Amino acid sequence: MSPSTIRLAENDPRRRFRGIVGVLFAIALSGSGVLRAQDDGSLIVRPGPPALDDFETDTDGDGTPDGWYNLRDAILIPEGGVVGPTVLRFEADQPSRPARISRGFGVDGRQTEALILGLWVRRIGDRLVPGERIGEEPALLIDLLDENLRSTSRGLLGPWDTLPEGRWVRWVTRVPVPSATRDAIMTVGLLGGTGTLEIDGLTIAQEPVGGQSTTNVIVNNGFELGGLTPDHWIVEGNARRVHSGDRSDAAIELSTTGDLALAPIGLPVRGLDRLAISVKARGTGLRGAGGAQAVVFFLGDDGRPLPGAASGARAVRWSGSFPWRVDRSVISVPAAASRAVLQLEKVDRQGTLWVDEVEVLGEGGLGGARTWAPYHVDGGGDSWPPYPVAEAIEPGSALDFSGELETPAGTHGFVTAEGGRLRFENGTPARFFGVSLMPPLPFTSTDQIEAIADRLARSGVNLVNLCDLDAPFGPGGSLVDDAANNTRSLDPLALADFDRAISAFKTRGIYVAITLQSQARFRSDDEIADGRALPPGGGPAAAFDPQIRERTRQLAEALLTRINPETGLALRDDPVLAWVTLAGELSLFNLIEDPDALPPSQADALRERSRTDRRAGRPFWQVTEAAQWSGLAADLRSLGLRVPIAGSAHFRREPEFAAAQRAEGLDLIDDRLFWQPPRFAAPELRSFIRRPSDELSPLANAKVARDRAYVVGQYASYTEGAWALPFEGPDLLLVSALARSAGWDALVRRAISRLPDPWGAAASGTGGGQDVFVLPEIVNGNPQVFGLFPHASALLLRKNPDADSSGLPGTWDRRIGRFTIDAPDTIGVAGVLQGAAASRDGLSIRSEDAVGAVVVSTVSGKPIAEADRFLITTVARVQPTALQWVDHWKREVADPGRPPLRVEPIRASITWNRDAPASVFALDNAGRRVAEIKGVSSSNGLRFVLDRRDGYLHWELAVGSP
């Protein structure tokens, strides 16, 4: 088996980060009186969940199944069910109608660690279409509540907008239960969407606390968890989850060439002698020489196949037709192997293979099969000290980098694009270090937006990217008026908050970039063909439909030309505006991944266009999309817009797509870089610093043209639903330095959300109450990232006249994964530390820890040789309390944990070797001095040991009198 035969399926990264994360559902569950407090205020104890609910029983004949309430736009149908004859059918032909039913039951989180929710679902007739607001999608939602009826978490089964017509699908998911949970409210239905949905056979199983040990190292080995595809497996081609298996509800089907299903072996295989493999399968019409096979691939720590014959071994080969049977084999584990992946593969188009159960046992020595507990791989950080939350950064402290910003924003005039670079009108170069604000944050309260603007400015952030402003979150939560029957009218409530936000940012020297269109769900008065059936923002149709262009022009005119009463200026006339992007991740090239994204009338319109053009395929898409963006840019210029304009902000990399973004009238490339770590690498290697090659710059350069300015409008790692990559803070330092050396005009980190508040109070989605949407890349939920903002800002924004020949302020050793920072005003080490040091002008810093970041920047922006105040930050990993992983790959979270966040202790030292006296102070996370650190004289100077184990990240070195 040669390495070239391995097909470690990777989900295309272009399919990710589609604007708002899909789990941002928001359903207002109407009060029904089911949850009532007793006279003494305590919660009425309710029975636990039913084992099975097939909707057969309606004792009082009121049309509502027993045990359920709040029935809306649903009826019981006495035939066609899966479990029993009766099914529950939801029907709605108008968006945002509450077609649903609810049920409450007791769940004690002290005894139950997870609920396994299962439901048979079927679409009848035309496709299910989401409603007009975010979260209005057919699904089952479950709100978990504590004894005070405060949310502890939220789970989702679905959404079901992609259900095939007429086929029952068994949809099953695992929902973690926080220990504070005492009760649950469950709601299922169309939930604001339209179409016809049937459900049957709801099951709710409770997993007891502690889990269950097993010797099988395959998670979801029977494919019981999942929807159209199985959970914890990676599928490619037409591989799908089907019903039923061999006396079970589910199996996986491989029916054509290239169909793949991969399962990472849940334990590291280093130290194992062999893998004992058992696969239950059924085949029909498979090619005689072996039309399907199961192969085990062995990998090193870096996730790459081992060289030569050790890379893989065939476990099973299937041919012909056969009933359900079990095939077994034993495979030796190469000594150099670290990890392994089991791959089920269809070799050609002949026949079909079904697989029901897979068992892989890891055996070593005389000890038999290795045991472990899936969903119980400990994050390992519960012994670390908690992160002490700071409401704000103390003005004038060493943590206050607001002096980097010039106030107000626009001091140098409007931002322009000249010679392929951003400049201000007076000729001053313009460079930005920013963050995205996730809606509905721009429409939050005055106090919160002022606090955010203040925190960002003191962190050295000089730009906010306002994306997804048209995302329909309801009244006051979107620029689009929720009461209007179109998507071009502005919401007066949201506008008032938006105006105050613009003023707050401008006052502090923070510029604003906006994206006009990305997440709108069209309404009837928009007069867009098949508007409701289009993806958010119009999807591919946004790049050619003239009605969508006109709708966007009208929205832009309403937004850009109105006077902001807080600033006295229209946005088009306000130099706080840095640039305008026409669309967010909307492109004809999205048809590559989703060829059926356009409804019939829009698909016909695109075909009609192609008949008048000699080009076809991607060249046709290029010229069509370029014409749309050029026309829309001209529309904005006619409105008096002066700042640079970008086409579609996207993570795409096709040359034709890149060419469309350089169309006439576009003077800016707005890129999105979502770095994906190697899927099968060991967790400790999932850091950009530890990659053997620079994967960001080539991606970025694919879009850069010398006559266009270039900004990265959103940058983040991709974490596949995990909490966060282990070392995203150090990665940010390196990417900031790379952005500066590569000449990017802006680097924007994704994203700030409304919660958690205050920053660092919890990982996003684990704080309870309203904070129940788990979003791993939220900056304000990860102190490892926002704690390094001042240093990243210094690396990107400050001048560095003596950078080395590569332009990088320091050296990047890809082999060992270390970035040694050496700039006139910033030194440090990020990535693998282990005794590494950095020094300049009598100041040096060193750490003996394994991995993290130790970095020093001058507070004033002066060179180290001239400065008298320095900010020192030491940070390693940060993670939630009680974080649990699905398996030892640590790609998927089994339980996102709870507050507080915990900070891995890190020890470093700083040495001062100059004539002037110096003092070092420990800082709290607001920047206030909490203790003075005594130095020890040595032959190298005055040495200070930085060894705090109470969750603080920062220190201050002051020259002269303290």
Side-chain angles (χ1 to χ4, degrees):
M1 185 69 59
S2 69
S4 63
T5 62
I6 188 169
R7 294 190 59 195
L8 296 180
E10 298 284 348
N11 290 342
D12 191 326
R14 295 173 298 187
R15 301 177 187 178
R16 304 184 180 110
F17 291 94
R18 304 279 184 184
I20 299 293
V21 177
V23 297
L24 285 181
F25 46 81
I27 295 294
L29 298 176
S30 64
S32 65
V34 171
L35 286 177
R36 294 187 299 271
Q38 302 184 71
D39 292 339
D40 62 1
S42 61
L43 187 68
I44 294 176
V45 177
R46 187 172 30 234
L52 172 67
D53 198 323
D54 56 5
F55 308 107
E56 298 294 327
T57 306
D58 178 15
T59 304
D60 57 8
D62 64 351
T64 300
D66 290 356
W68 294 83
Y69 64 95
N70 271 357
L71 183 72
R72 299 287 189 276
D73 293 328
I75 57 173
L76 291 170
I77 304 295
E79 59 184 4
V82 182
V83 177
T86 304
V87 301
L88 186 60
R89 175 181 293 176
F90 302 90
E91 292 185 276
D93 57 8
Q94 296 295 319
S96 301
R97 289 183 62 87
R100 67 182 186 190
I101 194 170
S102 299
R103 182 167 192 158
F105 54 88
V107 180
D108 191 336
R110 294 166 297 187
Q111 301 174 6
T112 301
E113 72 174 28
L115 297 175
I116 308 297
L117 304 178
L119 186 66
W120 288 99
V121 291
R122 178 171 67 170
R123 169 170 69 92
I124 303 297
D126 293 339
R127 60 176 290 187
L128 303 177
V129 179
E132 293 180 343
R133 296 178 182 170
I134 292 290
E136 294 185 340
E137 296 175 304
L140 182 151
L141 303 180
I142 183 166
D143 272 280
L144 304 176
L145 311 170
D146 66 14
E147 59 185 6
N148 297 314
L149 304 186
R150 182 177 183 269
S151 290
T152 61
S153 183
R154 180 170 289 182
L156 171 70
L157 185 66
W160 301 315
D161 55 320
T162 58
L163 279 178
E165 198 277 330
R167 177 167 70 90
W168 283 104
V169 176
R170 180 68 176 169
W171 213 287
V172 186
T173 195
R174 182 182 191 273
V175 178
V177 177
S179 59
T181 301
R182 298 294 180 269
D183 225 316
I185 297 180
M186 180 173 57
T187 296
V188 61
L190 293 171
L191 307 185
T194 59
T196 301
L197 171 72
E198 292 183 345
I199 66 172
D200 193 16
L202 171 71
T203 58
I204 308 175
Q206 301 181 78
E207 286 191 355
V209 170
Q212 185 173 357
S213 294
T214 179
T215 55
N216 193 350
V217 294
I218 299 294
V219 181
N220 194 21
N221 65 301
F223 309 100
E224 298 301 322
L225 296 177
L228 300 179
T229 59
D231 289 350
H232 312 310
W233 287 73
I234 301 163
V235 298
E236 213 175 65
N238 295 317
R240 62 175 186 157
R241 186 169 167 267
V242 295
H243 313 289
S244 58
D246 180 31
R247 293 171 298 207
S248 68
D249 284 337
I252 194 164
E253 177 186 278
L254 311 178
S255 60
T256 191
T257 307
D259 284 0
L260 297 176
L262 295 96
I265 303 299
L267 288 173
V269 298
R270 180 164 289 139
L272 298 178
D273 295 330
R274 56 198 169 271
L275 298 177
I277 298 170
S278 169
V279 183
K280 179 188 288 186
R282 176 171 73 90
T284 179
L286 296 172
R287 184 168 56 87
Q293 60 186 11
V295 181
V296 176
F297 292 104
F298 294 103
L299 316 171
D301 284 333
D302 60 0
R304 301 178 184 228
L306 298 182
S311 66
R314 184 179 292 111
V316 182
R317 174 180 284 176
W318 293 284
S319 61
S321 298
F322 50 90
W324 288 107
R325 74 185 192 202
V326 176
D327 294 281
R328 295 182 173 86
S329 66
V330 176
I331 294 175
S332 297
V333 177
S338 171
R339 299 184 176 263
V341 176
L342 174 70
Q343 178 171 292
L344 308 175
E345 179 180 2
K346 184 71 167 53
V347 176
D348 59 25
R349 288 191 291 178
Q350 296 183 26
T352 302
L353 176 76
W354 294 269
V355 176
D356 188 340
E357 292 182 10
V358 178
E359 182 182 67
V360 178
L361 308 181
E363 301 176 342
L366 301 176
R370 186 84 55 86
T371 61
W372 73 302
Y375 305 104
H376 288 81
V377 175
D378 191 354
D382 284 2
S383 63
W384 300 344
Y387 175 77
V389 174
E391 295 279 349
I393 294 175
E394 187 75 11
S397 69
L399 202 52
D400 182 0
F401 271 51
S402 59
E404 300 295 317
L405 283 60
E406 295 181 297
T407 57
T411 297
H412 298 294
F414 282 90
V415 176
T416 65
E418 298 179 4
R421 299 301 299 269
L422 293 185
R423 296 185 180 276
F424 293 108
E425 282 182 309
N426 66 359
T428 303
R431 182 175 279 112
F432 300 102
F433 174 61
V435 295
S436 295
L437 297 192
M438 181 170 282
L441 182 55
F443 318 114
T444 191
S445 67
T446 300
D447 288 346
Q448 187 174 26
I449 205 66
E450 291 280 348
I452 288 173
D454 191 67
R455 178 128 199 176
L456 291 176
R458 298 190 192 283
S459 298
V461 173
N462 69 341
L463 180 133
V464 291
N465 194 5
L466 306 182
C467 307
D468 303 322
L469 293 171
D470 57 355
F473 277 102
S478 168
L479 275 184
V480 174
D481 189 350
D482 188 71
N485 205 22
N486 62 71
T487 60
R488 58 188 181 274
S489 301
L490 301 181
D491 183 334
L493 294 175
L495 272 177
D497 292 332
F498 183 78
D499 290 341
R500 286 190 288 268
I502 297 296
S503 177
F505 294 135
K506 181 178 182 177
T507 300
R508 290 164 175 82
I510 300 175
Y511 290 80
V512 172
I514 64 170
T515 301
L516 291 177
Q517 181 171 327
S518 60
Q519 291 290 317
R521 292 182 176 174
F522 297 125
R523 302 171 184 174
S524 59
D525 287 354
D526 288 316
E527 299 181 348
I528 294 171
D530 272 334
R532 283 205 58 246
L534 286 169
F544 72 89
D545 185 280
Q547 281 73 36
I548 296 180
R549 170 182 158 183
E550 174 58 19
R551 170 261 176 199
T552 306
R553 187 202 66 79
Q554 293 175 4
L555 180 68
E557 181 175 12
L559 177 63
L560 298 174
T561 63
R562 56 176 292 280
I563 302 297
N564 180 344
E566 303 290 331
T567 62
L569 294 171
L571 198 52
R572 69 178 179 189
D573 301 321
D574 195 334
V576 71
L577 186 61
W579 70 78
V580 171
T581 299
L582 302 179
E585 298 179 16
L586 304 177
S587 172
L588 279 167
F589 290 81
N590 292 355
L591 291 169
I592 296 173
E593 291 82 41
D594 189 2
D596 299 320
L598 292 175
S601 65
Q602 292 284 354
D604 290 344
L606 186 61
R607 279 192 293 268
E608 186 62 31
R609 279 175 170 266
S610 68
R611 293 191 183 99
T612 63
D613 194 296
R614 294 183 179 179
R615 288 163 287 243
R618 296 185 186 186
F620 167 68
W621 292 349
Q622 174 189 325
V623 297
T624 302
E625 184 162 330
Q628 182 83 336
W629 303 144
S630 290
L632 188 50
D635 293 339
L636 299 191
R637 294 299 183 206
S638 69
L639 296 175
L641 184 67
R642 302 165 61 179
V643 298
I645 298 175
S648 177
H650 218 309
F651 42 77
R652 307 206 68 92
R653 289 294 173 269
E654 296 81 12
E656 298 88 352
F657 171 81
Q661 309 316 308
R662 297 194 291 270
E664 182 180 354
L666 304 179
D667 44 14
L668 179 70
I669 303 293
D670 186 354
D671 204 356
R672 294 188 177 182
L673 299 181
F674 299 121
W675 176 70
Q676 181 183 12
R679 182 186 299 277
F680 298 109
E684 60 271 14
L685 294 182
R686 292 179 197 143
S687 165
F688 184 71
I689 290 177
R690 303 191 71 156
R691 293 298 294 144
S693 61
D694 178 355
E695 297 180 4
L696 283 186
S697 292
L699 294 177
N701 292 336
K703 287 188 179 178
V704 174
R706 293 186 181 275
D707 61 342
R708 295 294 190 275
Y710 178 82
V711 302
V712 173
Q714 288 195 32
Y715 152 75
S717 300
Y718 178 67
T719 53
E720 299 190 84
W723 140 242
L725 295 184
F727 309 111
E728 293 193 34
D731 283 355
L732 177 64
L733 295 176
L734 174 60
V735 174
S736 299
L738 288 172
R740 178 60 188 249
S741 64
W744 303 354
D745 296 289
L747 176 68
V748 179
R749 184 59 165 78
R750 176 189 175 110
I752 302 293
S753 186
R754 187 171 64 87
L755 296 168
D757 183 29
W759 289 26
S764 175
T766 67
Q770 294 182 333
D771 184 19
V772 292
F773 302 110
V774 177
L775 301 169
E777 290 300 335
I778 293 303
V779 168
N780 46 313
N782 191 347
Q784 182 189 159
V785 173
F786 69 71
L788 288 170
F789 267 9
H791 305 285
S793 173
L795 286 170
L796 180 60
L797 300 182
R798 292 176 179 175
K799 294 181 180 180
N800 184 18
D802 61 346
D804 62 25
S805 58
S806 69
L808 192 67
T811 57
W812 179 13
D813 190 331
R814 296 171 173 84
R815 181 180 57 85
I816 63 173
R818 177 183 296 154
F819 176 40
T820 303
I821 306 167
D822 184 15
D825 48 18
T826 302
I827 61 171
V829 183
V832 176
L833 303 177
Q834 295 178 333
S839 62
R840 175 186 277 260
D841 298 323
L843 179 66
S844 64
I845 191 163
R846 180 184 184 91
S847 176
E848 302 295 339
D849 282 291
V851 181
V854 293
V855 59
V856 183
S857 295
T858 63
V859 175
S860 63
K862 294 180 181 179
I864 288 174
E866 303 173 13
D868 58 4
R869 292 182 74 199
F870 302 84
L871 173 67
I872 310 163
T873 301
T874 64
V875 61
R877 291 175 294 174
V878 179
Q879 67 180 42
T881 301
L883 175 69
Q884 297 282 332
W885 301 95
V886 171
D887 58 24
H888 287 269
W889 292 86
K890 298 186 178 180
R891 297 183 306 115
E892 300 175 281
V893 167
D895 188 327
R898 59 180 182 270
L901 291 171
R902 296 188 175 272
V903 180
E904 184 177 21
I906 187 171
R907 179 185 173 96
S909 64
I910 189 166
T911 302
W912 178 255
N913 189 13
R914 297 230 299 263
D915 291 337
S919 302
V920 172
F921 301 91
L923 307 178
D924 65 14
N925 290 323
R928 295 180 292 255
R929 296 177 177 178
V930 293
E932 183 174 359
I933 309 303
K934 299 300 182 182
V936 177
S937 296
S938 70
S939 58
N940 295 321
L942 192 60
R943 182 173 180 267
F944 301 89
V945 176
L946 314 179
D947 188 11
R948 290 295 293 273
R949 299 180 177 274
D950 50 10
Y952 293 139
L953 307 180
H954 307 289
W955 315 75
E956 177 185 357
L957 186 150
V959 180
S961 300

